[in-house]
Amino acid sequence: MALVQFGQVFAGVALVGLVALAIAHVLIAVLAVVSVITSRQSLGMKAVWFLLIWAMPLIGSVLWFLVGRREERAQWNPAASLPHVPRGAGSL
């Protein structure tokens, strides 16, 4: 009797764990796609990353967060986002 109850409890816990993993899997893939879309990558690179995430959601998402965002940060020039102020204009 106790063995049957343990088996039912174990099955319930396993099911909850699998559902949690599935939700996490989908959430990571969705976050990766949103991150790719809002990135500063070229349209072609966005398409490549999107296809990679679509074809292999877990591996593609992890690669995006480990490699793709690093490449994006390396290409970003913070000085280009600042307004241009001519020399001598700041001293009045």
Side-chain angles (χ1 to χ4, degrees), residues 11-76:
V13 170
L15 181 62
V16 169
L18 287 175
V19 168
L21 283 175
I23 290 171
H25 180 98
V26 171
L27 185 63
I28 289 171
V30 168
L31 289 174
V33 168
V34 169
S35 180
V36 167
I37 291 171
T38 60
S39 71
R40 293 183 197 94
Q41 298 278 348
S42 68
L43 188 60
M45 285 306 296
K46 285 182 182 183
V48 169
W49 279 109
F50 178 78
L51 289 174
L52 183 65
I53 293 168
W54 180 77
M56 300 181 295
L58 187 60
I59 294 171
S61 299
V62 170
L63 284 175
W64 165 252
F65 287 119
L66 291 177
V67 178
R69 292 189 64 185
R70 182 179 300 155
E71 290 175 1
E72 178 184 3
R73 278 184 260 135
Q75 294 173 358
W76 181 59

